[in-house]
Amino acid sequence: TKGYFRDQKREKERLTFNNELLDLLSQDTPENEQVSDLQEALESCLGKVDQNKRNALLARYQEDESVEALAKRFGQSANTFSQTLRRLRSSLSRCIETQVKALPS
């Protein structure tokens, strides 16, 4: 039962990047300055991430594979791979927030 409640809490706390945001961030000509700032912050923060972890994160969002298949490809258990992705998303979120807050208004 502990595991069930832990999983429920994690599900509520899950950080995800929705497809609309990813599409906006991938455009060469952002529609507004705020999106451009977010894109620059994301690129900067991704640049700070270890190459292997960055590849894992990008694979999760760019490829149509299950977590289990990606975990196997990266030589990890599905649980470890999911934890790695969760930590990366959280770290990226904090990094982006810090960079955006530091921008002049």
Side-chain angles (χ1 to χ4, degrees), residues 21 23-40 43:
L21 176 61
D23 289 340
L24 281 173
L25 292 173
S26 69
Q27 293 177 2
D28 288 336
T29 54
E31 294 178 9
N32 62 46
E33 193 172 310
Q34 185 178 12
V35 172
S36 180
D37 292 343
L38 286 171
Q39 184 174 6
E40 288 177 22
E43 289 171 3

Side-chain angles (χ1 to χ4, degrees), residues 8-65:
Q8 292 299 313
K9 182 180 178 193
R10 284 184 185 159
E11 187 65 33
K12 288 178 186 175
E13 294 174 350
R14 174 177 279 170
L15 293 172
T16 59
F17 299 105
N18 66 31
N19 289 335
E20 184 178 332
L21 176 61
L22 292 173
D23 289 340
L24 281 173
L25 292 173
S26 69
Q27 293 177 2
D28 288 336
T29 54
E31 294 178 9
N32 62 46
E33 193 172 310
Q34 185 178 12
V35 172
S36 180
D37 292 343
L38 286 171
Q39 184 174 6
E40 288 177 22
L42 176 61
E43 289 171 3
S44 173
C45 293
L46 277 173
K48 297 175 185 178
V49 174
D50 171 76
Q51 181 70 40
N52 193 44
K53 290 180 180 178
R54 183 172 50 246
N55 289 342
L57 183 70
L58 294 175
R60 178 65 179 121
Y61 288 101
Q62 293 176 344
E63 299 175 20
D64 191 25
E65 286 186 68

